[in-house]
Amino acid sequence: QVQLVESGGGLVQAGGSLRLSCAASGRTFRSPAMGWFRQAPGKEREFVAAISRTGAITYYADSVKGRFTISRDNAENTVYLQMNSLKPEDTAVYYCAAAFTSGYNWIGRSSTEYDYWGQGTQVTVSS
């Protein structure tokens, strides 16, 4: 089992920045591929960003490309999402997810590809 705990959410004005963290515990001896997803009220959960097991490969949704950066510290079992130039449409609950895959360069863009999920952290961007 793996436990994921997100933190760093909050209220920020448009144009501001936030840094989300996702700390993993449990079955972490084999670093999983990680992803960030978000869900706004009344909408389906959507992909935001993903990072491979080693951190060498990253992928972003078009809506956040150039503004968000995903990174990881495997020694600390933590994944980060740096969010800059935030917009009101970025308002959502943000979830991190883990996928145990053998591929070092694998990344997942669908929620169905992930095995474990955090409880989510609220990000609210005011206009």
Side-chain angles (χ1 to χ4, degrees):
Q1 289 293 325
V2 172
Q3 293 77 44
L4 303 175
V5 179
E6 302 98 333
S7 61
L11 173 64
V12 64
Q13 288 188 332
S17 298
L18 283 175
R19 189 194 196 200
L20 305 184
S21 299
C22 173
S25 61
R27 180 190 165 189
T28 56
F29 61 91
R30 179 182 169 188
S31 298
M34 300 293 293
W36 285 97
F37 291 77
R38 66 187 182 187
Q39 188 166 17
K43 295 187 177 181
E44 294 187 351
R45 190 170 299 189
E46 65 174 359
F47 169 78
V48 175
I51 189 166
S52 63
R53 291 176 59 192
T54 63
I57 307 296
T58 58
Y59 189 82
Y60 299 91
D62 288 342
S63 58
V64 307
K65 200 173 295 183
R67 300 187 298 122
F68 291 11
T69 302
I70 188 171
S71 62
R72 66 188 299 159
D73 182 342
N74 285 346
E76 297 294 329
N77 295 319
T78 301
V79 174
Y80 304 97
L81 186 67
Q82 178 66 44
M83 306 186 296
N84 299 329
S85 303
L86 282 161
K87 305 175 182 180
E89 51 263 44
D90 294 319
T91 295
V93 177
Y94 283 70
Y95 300 89
C96 69
F100 284 91
T101 172
S102 59
Y104 284 100
N105 293 328
W106 182 90
I107 53 172
R109 283 160 272 186
S110 169
S111 60
T112 59
E113 297 177 291
Y114 288 85
D115 307 303
Y116 299 94
W117 292 83
Q119 83 289 348
T121 185
Q122 176 70 48
V123 171
T124 303
V125 184
S126 63
S127 56

